[in-house]
Amino acid sequence: MTCGAGVSPTYPYERTIEAPRLRGVENVPRKLVQYLMDLPLPGYVPPDDNAYPRCRLMKYLFWDTADPLRELAPTTEEKLSILFDPKNAARPPTKRGYRLYPQSYVAQSQTDAQTRLLVYMGRTTPVNTHNIALAVHFDILTSVSSEQTAGAAMSRVFAMEQCVIEALNGVNIDGMGTVYFNRQAHGDCGSLAVGDRGTNIGRALVMGLSWME
């Protein structure tokens, strides 16, 4: 018997509890990355204003200068050029290389002296029958030559971490749930300094996402 219209997806068994099925959870990293990129939408033009956290975040990510906040906000084309393309992992479209990854890092695509932001899923914790707490990891890495910036925020990676938290904490992402930074809601929430004991240093930030169906 083939599964068709009207046939239960659990045939020949019956689902007796209306529990979360996590359908669509695989899209969370990409949706968060697209939100953080601050792309134009119908009736919305991303502001080039450092009062906005996503604007600051994209400047820190895109520009390698000593004072990236003094630069213009990257254009839509420039933002998309640094978004990892798995079909061309070893051939980024510009010399800047890929810098924004909706997955864990792909070593073959790294280029020297880059700032990178990786977004991927961590530990999944079932809270109760209907509520699941997801951990979302944000790995922020930069070359030691790019870490120190001018101005009050001397650490590029710590400033980027603050931008991510400001842009996401308490925000309900349509079709997914609310992002939070609360260790009582998910024990993995927090951040710490990381590095590869070589040319890169950074911050490992973990935020939570409430998933209910």
Side-chain angles (χ1 to χ4, degrees), residues 30 33 80-93 98-109:
R30 182 64 183 235
V33 163
L80 292 173
S81 73
I82 60 173
L83 176 63
F84 177 64
D85 180 2
K87 295 181 180 178
N88 297 287
R91 296 186 299 276
Y98 297 124
R99 301 184 175 208
L100 194 53
Y101 298 79
Q103 62 185 71
S104 57
Y105 186 50
V106 180
Q108 292 86 341
S109 63

Side-chain angles (χ1 to χ4, degrees), residues 9 32 48 77 94 98 103 123 134 144 166 169 187-188 192 196 206 212:
L32 291 177
D48 187 354
E77 183 179 21
T94 71
Y98 297 124
Q103 62 185 71
R123 187 164 61 105
L134 305 173
V144 293
E166 183 180 345
N169 197 15
D188 291 354
L192 73 160
D196 59 10
V206 182
M212 298 182 67

Side-chain angles (χ1 to χ4, degrees), residues 14-21 128-131 213:
E14 179 182 359
R15 192 187 306 275
T16 58
I17 299 176
E18 283 302 319
R21 306 171 198 184
N128 53 45
T129 304
H130 303 290
N131 190 5
E213 298 176 24

Side-chain angles (χ1 to χ4, degrees), residues 160-204:
M160 291 177 65
E161 176 182 304
Q162 185 280 323
C163 292
V164 173
I165 293 173
E166 183 180 345
L168 282 171
N169 197 15
V171 176
N172 184 277
I173 305 296
D174 183 45
M176 296 188 339
T178 300
V179 183
Y180 56 81
F181 195 48
N182 180 353
R183 198 169 182 84
Q184 291 182 330
H186 198 303
D188 291 354
C189 286
S191 70
L192 73 160
V194 295
D196 59 10
R197 296 185 180 276
T199 59
N200 295 306
I201 56 176
R203 301 288 300 180

Side-chain angles (χ1 to χ4, degrees), residues 60-132:
Y60 280 124
L61 190 62
F62 187 82
W63 298 109
D64 298 320
T65 57
D67 197 352
L69 296 186
R70 294 179 63 89
E71 306 287 348
L72 293 175
T75 65
T76 298
E77 183 179 21
E78 288 172 332
K79 291 175 184 178
L80 292 173
S81 73
I82 60 173
L83 176 63
F84 177 64
D85 180 2
K87 295 181 180 178
N88 297 287
R91 296 186 299 276
T94 71
K95 292 181 179 180
R96 277 189 166 79
Y98 297 124
R99 301 184 175 208
L100 194 53
Y101 298 79
Q103 62 185 71
S104 57
Y105 186 50
V106 180
Q108 292 86 341
S109 63
Q110 183 178 6
T111 59
D112 293 334
Q114 286 180 311
T115 300
R116 299 183 302 279
L117 173 60
L118 291 64
V119 182
Y120 57 96
M121 304 309 294
R123 187 164 61 105
T124 298
T125 304
V127 178
N128 53 45
T129 304
H130 303 290
N131 190 5
I132 294 176

